[in-house]
Each structure stands twice: as C-alpha cells, then as structure tokens.
Amino acid sequence: QVQLVESGGGLVQAGDSLRLSCAVSGRTSSMYAVGWFRQAPGKERWLVATITWSGSSPYYADSLKGRVTISRDNAENTVILQMNSLKPEDTAVYFCAAETTRPITIATMFNPNEYDFWGQGTQVTVSS
C-alpha cells in the first residue's frame, strides 16, 4: 500500500504561482512513478505532469509546458509541482497518483486507470 497526501492548493490571482506537494508514504520501494492530474468541474481528469520515482524523465502536458515543473525531493519522499503564471482555466482539483505496477510509458501515462493509488486532491482556484 502507498499513501499520498496533497497540499499547497488555495485561492490565487491570475499570474501568481503555487507550489503543490505530494507526500508519499508506505511501500515506496514498489513505486515506479508519480503523476499529477487535475480535474475541473464537469470535466475528465487529465495528466498535468509525471516523473519516475527516481526523479528522472519528467513529462509535461503540452499545454502546460513552460509553466509547470515537476520534481522529487528524495529526502522527504515528496513530489513537487511548481506552477507559474497561473490562469483562471487552471482552476481544478489537483491529484497526485502513484504507479506501482509497471514502468510508465508514453502509451500509458495519460490514463488515470494506470495509476494504483491516489491522494484526496487539493483545490486550486485562480481568480481573474
């Protein structure tokens, strides 16, 4: 079992930055990757960024490249999502998720069903 807890969300203004954290605990030895997803009301959950558990091979959604950075703090078993120049359309609940079954690939990383464990989410609201 792996547990994930997100934090760092909140209400910000357009143009501001936010740093989301995903604290990971439990059987981290079985981890392959962590992904950050977001879900706006009435919309599907989709991938923002993903990174291997070793902290390599970050991948970003094309629409967010240049505004988000994913990284791993090895000492704290935490995966960070830094978001800059936030826009109202970034408003969503942000979730982190763990892949513990197999290494992620380009073919699999976008599918939420690929990930085995999820956090409860953190709300990000960007006002215009």
Side-chain angles (χ1 to χ4, degrees), residues 49-67:
T50 187
I51 192 167
T52 62
W53 186 235
S54 65
S56 63
S57 304
Y59 182 88
Y60 303 99
D62 286 343
S63 61
L64 296 173
K65 283 181 181 176
R67 293 201 297 123

Side-chain angles (χ1 to χ4, degrees), residues 20-93:
L20 305 184
S21 295
C22 174
V24 184
S25 61
R27 288 192 62 185
T28 58
S29 60
S30 64
M31 298 272 294
Y32 283 99
V34 172
W36 277 99
F37 287 76
R38 73 186 193 188
Q39 187 169 21
K43 297 190 177 180
E44 293 186 350
R45 192 171 298 189
W46 62 270
L47 182 70
V48 174
T50 187
I51 192 167
T52 62
W53 186 235
S54 65
S56 63
S57 304
Y59 182 88
Y60 303 99
D62 286 343
S63 61
L64 296 173
K65 283 181 181 176
R67 293 201 297 123
V68 299
T69 304
I70 189 170
S71 61
R72 183 191 165 191
D73 182 335
N74 293 342
E76 299 292 332
N77 272 357
T78 300
V79 176
I80 306 298
L81 184 70
Q82 177 69 40
M83 301 190 295
N84 301 321
S85 302
L86 285 162
K87 305 175 181 180
E89 50 264 42
D90 294 320
T91 295
V93 179

